[in-house]
Amino acid sequence: MLWNQVKQQIAATTLISAALSMAWRSHGRSNSELVAALQRNGVFQGERVHDAMLAVDRADFCPTNPYLDAPQTIGYNATISAPHMHAAALELLLPKLNNGSHVLDIGSGSGYLTTCLAKMVGHDGVVVGIEHIPQLVNLSIANVQKNHSELLDGGQLKIIEGDGRLGYPSEAPYQAIHVGAAAESVPQKLIDQLAIGGRMILPVNANGSRNGQRYVQVDKISDSEVQTKDLMGVIYVPLTSVEHQIGRRN
Ligand SMILES: *[C@@H]1O[C@H](CO)[C@@H](O)[C@H](O)[C@H]1NC(C)=O
Ligand SMILES: *[C@@H]1O[C@H](CO)[C@@H](O)[C@H](O)[C@H]1NC(C)=O
Ligand SMILES: *[C@@H]1O[C@H](CO)[C@@H](O)[C@H](O)[C@H]1NC(C)=O
Ligand SMILES: *[C@@H]1O[C@H](CO)[C@@H](O)[C@H](O)[C@H]1NC(C)=O
Ligand SMILES: *[C@@H]1O[C@H](CO)[C@@H](O)[C@H](O)[C@H]1NC(C)=O
């Protein structure tokens, strides 16, 4: 039912959103089958997204149905997004993910996308995952340590407990920012931390309605100018406080 709503909301205005209408079928029996299915369905085009997703086994981050193209719950009222949304996010950010890039991943949850991003920025790059649920910070670090501890040891990947709405100024400016939860509007603090020429992608609650969530791309042209592109309809959990998410402060 949810899937049909999502599919109906997808406007075929870009290659990615067109590909995504097929993407819910991108299942596999293994990580390599899943990645091959996403590629076959056109969710990403080139080698770099392919190689990153192939190198990071989703099973390390997703305890249930890791190769099913659907979101899964990971506890604390948090989810890991469907694989096609991760692939689409990597494809959208791809031009900004170069050796040495600084990247911010807000609401890093399981740590899966953060790890893929870290694979794409090389030894000189830095990817910071911000997660506000302390147990998820620890869980995601343990997930990364299963097969990618070198990313943590080398400083290429950091997962930090914090309020994503504030960003993380000490590694700014960022060439790319991914936000994994829906805000009411594009947070100014995150625009401020974006590099000129940088790109942020995020779900925004259009008109305060969950059904009106839009996936938006924000390109920073200059200190005073951004270019915003409405990509498609999506459904994400809200970007909110710890109290809101789990009903208590830890
Ligand atoms: C990053 O550096 C590696 C190793 O030096 C190189 O193979 C790769 O092509 C570079 N990638 C980009 C996007 O520049
Ligand atoms: C997370 O891990 C750190 C270091 O191992 C530990 O001190 C802390 O209590 C853990 N936090 C939670 C919420 O499990
Ligand atoms: C990843 O880590 C898990 C847990 O340590 C291990 O069972 C698995 O074999 C590892 N996968 C690869 C590809 O090394
Ligand atoms: C939000 O509502 C206004 C007024 O009803 C409408 O003009 C606008 O298109 C809506 N925005 C989106 C993104 O749906
Ligand atoms: C999820 O949120 C609800 C409502 O805030 C809360 O009652 C519940 O305890 C939360 N679940 C977890 C696992 O934190």
Side-chain angles (χ1 to χ4, degrees):
M1 188 180 62
L2 196 65
W3 293 12
N4 282 331
Q5 281 172 12
V6 171
K7 279 194 268 187
Q8 280 163 17
Q9 284 176 13
I10 291 168
T13 52
T14 66
L15 188 59
I16 280 189
S17 58
L20 284 182
S21 63
M22 288 292 293
W24 294 92
R25 301 179 199 172
S26 304
H27 309 303
R29 281 165 303 179
S30 64
N31 198 60
S32 55
E33 280 192 14
L34 170 65
V35 175
L38 290 163
Q39 186 167 39
R40 210 164 44 238
N41 288 331
V43 186
F44 62 83
Q45 308 293 320
E47 286 306 302
R48 292 184 59 220
V49 173
H50 174 270
D51 293 352
M53 291 188 81
L54 195 61
V56 181
D57 191 333
R58 201 174 143 85
D60 290 353
F61 300 84
C62 182
T64 56
N65 305 314
Y67 311 127
L68 187 68
D69 193 14
Q72 301 290 323
T73 151
I74 54 171
Y76 311 101
N77 288 328
T79 58
I80 178 170
S81 293
H84 74 266
M85 282 308 300
H86 283 147
L90 293 172
E91 184 78 358
L92 287 163
L93 293 176
L94 183 62
K96 315 299 175 188
L97 303 175
N98 295 304
N99 287 332
S101 291
H102 282 209
V103 180
L104 187 59
D105 181 23
I106 291 177
S108 51
S110 73
Y112 170 77
L113 188 71
T114 331
T115 306
C116 291
L117 289 163
K119 284 272 174 198
M120 295 172 78
V121 299
H123 298 296
D124 298 331
V126 178
V127 180
V128 181
I130 304 282
E131 172 52 56
H132 66 166
I133 308 282
Q135 291 90 337
L136 285 179
V137 172
N138 283 12
L139 177 70
S140 58
I141 290 172
N143 289 342
V144 178
Q145 278 167 341
K146 289 175 187 168
N147 291 299
H148 302 283
S149 52
E150 78 286 354
L151 297 175
L152 294 165
D153 300 341
Q156 204 168 324
L157 170 53
K158 302 180 192 182
I159 297 177
I160 286 166
E161 182 187 338
D163 185 338
R165 296 170 293 188
L166 307 178
Y168 189 70
S170 44
E171 292 288 352
Y174 297 98
Q175 277 71 43
I177 300 180
H178 169 266
V179 184
E184 290 309 313
S185 60
V186 180
Q188 185 60 44
K189 285 205 164 70
L190 300 185
I191 294 176
D192 293 343
Q193 290 172 37
L194 201 55
I196 291 170
R199 173 172 293 176
M200 168 158 60
I201 51 173
L202 77 168
V204 175
N205 281 324
N207 296 328
S209 148
R210 268 184 82 97
N211 293 331
Q213 271 184 19
R214 308 296 304 171
Y215 206 52
V216 173
Q217 173 178 305
V218 179
D219 286 330
K220 187 158 171 177
I221 309 300
S222 71
D223 272 329
S224 59
E225 194 189 349
V226 294
Q227 206 166 59
T228 301
K229 192 168 160 191
D230 181 340
L231 298 169
M232 59 192 158
V234 284
I235 299 178
Y236 273 82
V237 298
L239 184 63
T240 185
S241 63
V242 174
E243 288 91 334
H244 239 91
Q245 187 165 344
I246 61 174
R248 62 179 185 276
R249 177 143 276 291
N250 275 264

